[in-house]
Amino acid sequence: MHRKGKGPTDFADARSASQENSVSKKGETKSPASTPKGLSRLALNRRHFLAAGAATLATPYLSKIARAQGSDVNVGVVVPLSGANAQFGVNSRNGIQLAADQINDNGGIKALGGAKINLIIADSTSTPTNAATVGQRLIAQQNVVAILGAYASSLSLALSEATERRDVPLLTMSFSDMITGRGFKNVFQMISKATTMGAAQLRGPAGVAEKAGKPLKSIAIMYEDTAFGTSQAGGLRETAAELGIEVVMDEAYPLGITDVTPLINQLRGTNADAVFPCSYLNDGVQIIRTMRQQGIDMPVIGGAGGYVIPDFRAALGEYAENVFSVAPSNYDLAPELTDPFKERFGYFMVHEAIEHAVCLDVLAKALEISGDTDSDALREALRNNRFEGGWAGIIPGGGVDFDETGLNTLAKPIIVQWRGEDLVTVWPDDVATKEAVWAGK
């Protein structure tokens, strides 16, 4: 239990308190909320169905994870379960399911008489217009109290237009600065925005390189020209200027790129000290594979997205070794929380799974505070309280505290690095679990 401003101020403290599942109202002290106690099997009845109106869309479907019950709290989940970003959507869904089971197994929402969390999951595909459409459908037909999603920034931006019109809270782990930059009152961004992520993507490795005796003097930037890539590249660019580092390549490329050879040929001619790509999975794999096959061994620092999931390592094998990435969180920072995910799903808990679990955890805590599913009461509980411990405590920075725009002001990006099949945290020093390896040393 912490008052705002008196809780853990660094992640080391937060980890030690990770089993203290607490909420504090801004300016007041509140009683601890219930603490998730590990993994259990799904206690809910599952069934999947095609929603009545889903046939009007290209491919999306709705699946109901639990039978609707009178006292259940319906929570919408909109993630890409098909298309180019499907694996990220599956990962996100798995994280939410884990958190939902833990909440329900611990008695549900006590302030609502033990109401169970009833997830209603919709496939956004990887198309923004579909994300908005299925979000509208969940609100109109499923009586959801809030929506979680939609992983990719372009999907979340479209979805947030629908939730804002219908006055329903949207909790998201998408990166784009625009998520909380439009004055919306119903959007809550769980992690740092993209420009902050981009700044950390350069500041962290710059410190590592300096420590290794190889300070960065010039860098190359390449990025997908979507909301995510464009915002994050902006953070890289601004930070390079602040640090006096020359940007010798600054190149956008289109979503769905199938041939990165021209980009890599351009990169080869720059003689940069390091390259900073902001990509999802397919483009990220192409970039690294083409670089290594051409003998370009400069350090790579990815922009999260496709660089921090097991599929990246599986696709690249030894080419992935020592590749860095910025990330909003990592599984090695709180194994007591993330090990159950690996035991259940067979792979380490990737950051989007972690942060979507945090989204549901924070929503559940807000429901405990409000004791009401009304949008106004729920929004007030989200805005006026600080959430620490449990899943909320796994966010580097110590928890979740939204400002007036809906941005979590406590979140702090980290740098991770591939070591074999593991992704280890190497920066900042106060949370690192392993020493960073720079240029093979």
Side-chain angles (χ1 to χ4, degrees):
M1 181 166 57
H2 306 281
R3 284 184 182 277
K4 184 183 181 186
K6 295 184 178 180
T9 56
D10 62 42
F11 190 54
D13 288 339
R15 278 185 291 162
S16 67
S18 62
Q19 296 306 311
E20 298 175 10
N21 197 9
S22 64
V23 177
S24 60
K25 188 171 183 178
K26 296 177 181 179
E28 294 182 12
T29 301
K30 301 290 288 186
S31 298
S34 60
T35 302
K37 295 180 179 177
L39 173 68
S40 67
R41 294 172 60 84
L42 261 175
L44 304 174
N45 296 318
R46 300 183 181 188
R47 67 188 177 104
H48 297 265
F49 69 98
L50 287 173
T56 60
L57 303 178
T59 55
Y61 70 91
L62 300 176
S63 64
K64 206 167 187 177
I65 294 300
R67 292 184 183 281
Q69 299 176 10
S71 60
D72 288 351
V73 176
N74 286 352
V75 175
V77 177
V78 178
V79 288
L81 298 174
S82 58
N85 290 322
Q87 186 57 56
F88 299 107
V90 170
N91 296 339
S92 301
R93 180 196 62 191
N94 290 347
I96 293 170
Q97 286 182 342
L98 177 64
D101 290 348
Q102 292 173 339
I103 293 166
N104 289 339
D105 288 349
N106 280 279
I109 306 301
K110 296 176 180 61
L112 296 175
K116 303 299 184 186
I117 296 292
N118 183 35
L119 299 178
I120 302 178
I121 301 176
D123 179 11
S124 64
T125 74
S126 296
T127 305
T129 52
N130 282 341
T133 300
V134 297
Q136 290 172 342
R137 185 164 296 134
L138 287 181
I139 296 168
Q141 299 178 358
Q142 302 295 333
N143 195 30
V144 295
V145 302
I147 291 181
L148 316 181
Y151 176 72
S153 291
S154 56
L155 301 178
S156 296
L157 286 168
L159 176 61
S160 65
E161 297 284 346
T163 55
E164 189 69 14
R165 281 195 301 272
R166 300 299 296 269
D167 208 25
V168 170
L170 169 65
L171 286 78
T172 181
M173 49 68 63
S174 295
F175 286 15
S176 174
D177 289 28
M178 293 174 63
I179 297 289
T180 47
R182 295 164 295 167
F184 286 5
K185 65 179 183 179
N186 289 294
V187 65
F188 298 90
Q189 192 170 18
M190 206 60 61
I191 61 175
S192 301
K193 57 186 179 181
T195 51
T196 304
M197 296 292 291
Q201 187 180 353
L202 178 51
R203 287 188 183 281
V208 171
E210 182 80 28
K211 190 176 179 181
K214 297 180 179 180
L216 292 179
K217 297 180 181 178
S218 63
I219 63 169
I221 302 170
M222 56 179 76
Y223 58 96
E224 187 188 86
D225 62 354
T226 58
F228 149 63
T230 301
S231 293
Q232 195 149 322
L236 281 165
R237 212 173 286 126
E238 292 171 8
T239 306
E242 292 173 10
L243 298 178
I245 298 172
E246 183 182 6
V247 178
V248 292
M249 175 178 172
D250 190 347
E251 197 70 32
Y253 61 84
L255 172 69
I257 189 171
T258 57
D259 183 7
V260 301
T261 304
L263 281 173
I264 304 307
N265 288 341
Q266 184 179 350
L267 176 64
R268 176 189 291 279
T270 64
N271 199 30
D273 292 326
V275 59
F276 293 76
C278 298
S279 324
Y280 288 112
L281 178 61
N282 293 335
D283 40 347
V285 167
Q286 287 186 72
I287 288 168
I288 303 302
R289 179 179 290 134
T290 306
M291 282 181 61
R292 299 313 190 217
Q293 287 176 341
Q294 293 192 17
I296 302 174
D297 61 356
M298 70 176 64
V300 178
I301 303 92
Y307 292 86
V308 288
I309 62 175
D311 302 74
F312 179 79
R313 175 64 174 73
L316 289 170
E318 64 181 9
Y319 287 160
E321 190 68 8
N322 291 332
V323 169
F324 293 90
S325 180
V326 69
S329 62
N330 197 38
Y331 67 97
D332 67 345
L333 297 178
E336 71 278 11
L337 290 174
T338 60
D339 282 353
F341 181 96
K342 186 173 183 179
E343 293 168 8
R344 176 169 173 173
F345 297 107
Y347 59 99
F348 67 69
M349 193 169 189
V350 294
H351 83 86
E352 62 266 26
I354 293 171
E355 292 135 25
H356 275 100
V358 173
C359 286
L360 183 58
D361 180 50
V362 168
L363 176 63
K365 288 180 168 74
L367 286 166
E368 293 285 7
I369 295 167
S370 66
D372 195 329
T373 58
D374 174 75
S375 294
D376 289 340
L378 194 51
R379 187 171 53 248
E380 182 178 354
L382 288 166
R383 285 205 183 281
N384 295 332
N385 292 277
R386 172 169 169 153
F387 305 90
E388 298 173 340
W391 283 108
I394 199 172
I395 295 292
V400 177
D401 190 355
F402 299 113
D403 66 12
E404 67 279 2
T405 71
L407 176 67
N408 178 14
T409 59
L410 301 182
K412 295 179 180 178
I414 58 175
I415 298 294
V416 296
Q417 189 174 33
W418 280 102
R419 303 287 177 76
E421 295 185 354
D422 289 320
L423 197 61
V424 300
T425 303
V426 297
W427 183 89
D429 290 343
D430 63 339
V431 300
T433 60
K434 298 284 185 182
E435 285 285 334
V437 175
W438 185 260
K441 297 181 180 179

